[in-house]
Amino acid sequence: MSFRRIMSLALGLAVTIFALTNVAIAQGPALSRSVVLVPKGTPMPPATCEPAQLAQMTREALARTNASRRAAGLAPLVEDPRLSRVALRHACAIAEIGRLEHRGPRGLTPMKRVRAAGFNACFTAENLAAGLYDARRAVAAWQASDGHRRNMMDRRARQAGFGFVHGADGRVWWVGIYAAGCG
């Protein structure tokens, strides 16, 4: 293998490690243990994108998030169905590619995905998780991570939406979106 090829591979690995440690997707030990990287282009079987317990689990995620916010003296978040649809679609997308990524398959950021769904957002934050999580464990893992907790507890957030899917790999993929409308 040539020196140029070795350096290219090393740079690619360094960029991947930097990306994972500098966005709020795998900062806490509870999350990093369950993250499995799948090389780009690896086909994944389809996810179950309409889980049977969706309403119950997302209500629980919102209730647990709001309990933390109230304990910190913050206003509770209100569930917005548009944000929940965006969260569910993104959970399905990341489950199908097998990686936690904040950009969707078309390269859209959380803000752009939320606005495309008809929510006129001036603020968005997004938490991701993958593993054998129920709502209690997903929210607890986010609370244990500084970056995720900052997103959940952001004073600007007024609405939230949650989505989760069962991936074909056996893991449950979670997305929490926190937002505030303009105006």
Side-chain angles (χ1 to χ4, degrees):
M1 189 179 308
S2 73
F3 177 75
R4 177 179 237 159
R5 178 72 178 138
I6 292 170
M7 292 307 293
S8 175
L9 290 172
L11 178 61
L13 179 60
V15 168
T16 300
I17 291 169
F18 177 81
L20 288 175
T21 57
N22 286 289
V23 296
I25 61 172
Q27 293 178 351
L31 292 177
S32 61
R33 275 191 301 251
S34 65
V35 173
V36 175
L37 298 177
V38 176
K40 284 191 177 200
T42 301
M44 292 290 293
T48 304
C49 292
E50 294 184 26
Q53 301 164 329
L54 179 63
Q56 173 190 347
M57 293 286 271
T58 57
R59 274 194 307 270
E60 185 179 346
L62 180 63
R64 290 180 176 281
T65 298
N66 281 336
S68 294
R69 289 178 62 88
R70 276 194 284 286
L74 298 171
L77 302 175
V78 175
E79 191 268 340
D80 186 283
R82 295 167 295 184
L83 298 178
S84 293
R85 282 191 300 274
V86 170
L88 178 60
R89 282 195 298 262
H90 194 60
C92 187
I94 61 176
E96 287 180 349
I97 63 171
R99 288 188 313 278
L100 296 171
E101 290 195 8
H102 288 286
R103 288 193 179 265
R106 297 184 330 210
L108 298 179
T109 63
M111 177 71 82
K112 288 181 180 176
R113 285 186 272 116
V114 165
R115 286 182 175 167
F119 187 101
N120 185 25
C122 284
F123 164 78
T124 62
E126 180 177 74
N127 286 348
L128 308 176
L132 300 173
Y133 292 107
D134 55 18
R136 179 184 59 81
R137 287 185 276 192
V139 174
W142 290 336
Q143 289 172 333
S145 160
D146 290 341
H148 293 95
R149 185 169 175 78
R150 255 192 314 275
N151 288 344
M152 291 172 49
M153 306 300 272
D154 196 297
R155 293 180 184 280
R156 294 171 291 179
R158 296 290 176 257
Q159 292 89 11
F162 297 90
F164 80 99
V165 301
H166 297 279
D169 60 0
R171 293 185 288 170
V172 177
W173 298 77
W174 277 91
V175 175
I177 296 179
Y178 315 93
C182 298

